[in-house]
Amino acid sequence: MKPRIALVTGGIGGLGTEICRYLARSGHRVIAGDLGSRTDRVEQFRREVAEHSDTIHFESLNVADHAGCTADLARIEADHGPISVLVNAAGITRDTSLRKMSVQQWDDVITVNLSGVFNTCRAVVDGMTERGYGRIVNISSVNGQTGQFGQTNYSAAKAGMHGFTMALAREVARKGVTVNSVSPGYCETALVMAVPETVRNQIIANIPVGRLGKPSEIARVVDFLCAEESAFITGANIPVNGGYFMDF
Ligand code: CAA
């Protein structure tokens, strides 16, 4: 059987890179989609995944622009084949309290983190339902469940992803397509390292496991949801946060 094509948006990021590795190991042909303008990071990514150079490929993709994203995905499918697995891991932060937040900071985060998910899903969902198979995993955040000081934009986008996930899960449930979200807590990524050290240490002190998460601890859950055998899990949100937020 030909390997399934998995697209990971934000694929060269902290979580994205590790998700690419896991999906490659589980037999997918993986496309890491990210901004082509990040040339230094792209080169570093290629070195980091060199052992999977046959199965992990970088493609330029801007999820923030609807027309551009649609065109990018059409090109990727023409070059590599139909996308069966979509992991939406592209995300940015523009942290500041609401009283200081500019319209630009609001729009940037909503456009990439939430509209980006619409743009990618809109482009691939018809193909998935027509072929009767698909796995969509949206990378949300614990801060979409709890809210976070300085993140009205980010928390709104990440909470919005849950609603999107549940709604789309219902629409495609009978067509062999599952849609789930994973909500990472604070992990060892550049996004978290950008938080001022004193604030970060306070956050770590409140994580019951007592440390930041490793990207691999997120990636294995994503890979699990992307497996063919996970067909009965849909519309779910899986928290992976070291006990930082527990819900029933
Ligand atoms: N709770 C309560 N008060 C807080 C606070 C908090 N968490 N953080 C700051 N404050 C207080 C400050 O002590 C300060 O008080 P005073 O006015 O009395 O001096 C005041 O609030 C600062 O308010 P400002 O409006 O000036 O805040 P700011 O616009 O400078 O923003 C911040 C501060 C940049 C948001 C900073 O608090 C911060 O970086 N917080 C962490 C945000 C965070 O956790 N981001 C997560 C990034 S990682 C990620 O997003 C990945 C993931 O999914 C987990």
Side-chain angles (χ1 to χ4, degrees):
M1 203 176 98
K2 279 172 74 177
R4 291 202 164 106
I5 311 290
L7 172 71
V8 182
T9 77
I12 66 175
L15 297 182
T17 302
E18 202 55 35
I19 292 168
C20 288
R21 282 203 190 94
Y22 266 72
L23 290 173
R25 283 192 210 117
S26 59
H28 299 87
R29 180 180 170 88
V30 182
I31 314 300
D34 212 311
L35 297 176
S37 55
R38 300 176 68 192
T39 45
D40 289 352
R41 177 61 206 144
V42 173
E43 284 317 307
Q44 192 188 343
F45 171 78
R46 287 193 210 280
R47 288 194 293 276
E48 285 172 8
V49 299
E51 64 176 302
H52 300 290
S53 58
D54 289 349
T55 43
I56 301 181
H57 305 268
F58 174 81
E59 291 289 350
S60 180
L61 171 67
N62 180 4
V63 300
D65 167 49
H66 181 75
C69 177
T70 307
D72 285 341
L73 290 177
R75 171 180 48 81
I76 289 169
E77 290 202 309
D79 289 349
H80 295 275
I83 294 166
S84 300
V85 174
L86 169 65
V87 180
N88 283 303
I92 59 169
T93 53
R94 297 286 183 269
D95 293 355
T96 187
S97 55
L98 182 71
R99 66 193 180 94
K100 292 187 195 165
M101 189 174 288
S102 66
V103 173
Q104 188 73 47
Q105 287 171 316
W106 172 264
D107 284 345
D108 284 353
V109 170
I110 298 296
T111 302
V112 174
N113 297 13
L114 186 57
S115 301
V117 174
F118 166 79
N119 292 337
T120 57
C121 288
R122 181 72 180 78
V124 302
V125 79
D126 280 347
M128 288 182 178
T129 55
E130 278 158 22
R131 292 186 299 275
Y133 185 85
R135 297 282 177 267
I136 297 175
V137 178
N138 297 322
I139 306 300
S140 183
S141 165
V142 67
N143 292 343
Q145 300 175 284
T146 62
Q148 175 57 289
F149 190 103
Q151 288 202 309
T152 49
N153 48 7
Y154 187 88
S155 299
K158 294 299 189 180
M161 279 169 96
H162 293 307
F164 179 97
T165 296
M166 293 185 289
L168 183 58
R170 288 180 188 275
E171 292 184 14
V172 297
R174 296 191 179 211
K175 306 283 185 185
V177 181
T178 65
V179 190
N180 294 290
S181 59
V182 171
S183 289
Y186 283 76
C187 294
E188 294 165 1
T189 62
L191 219 58
V192 171
M193 291 312 173
V195 174
E197 195 179 356
T198 47
V199 179
R200 199 169 63 239
N201 287 339
Q202 277 170 19
I203 290 168
I204 295 171
N206 284 313
I207 302 174
V209 169
R211 61 168 174 84
L212 296 173
K214 300 181 201 313
S216 60
E217 292 171 319
I218 308 304
R220 72 186 298 269
V221 177
V222 175
D223 186 44
F224 170 81
L225 290 171
C226 291
E228 194 169 331
E229 297 87 338
S230 296
F232 206 54
I233 307 173
T234 197
N237 173 49
I238 316 279
V240 189
N241 61 34
Y244 186 65
F245 174 66
M246 301 182 193
D247 194 13
F248 179 58

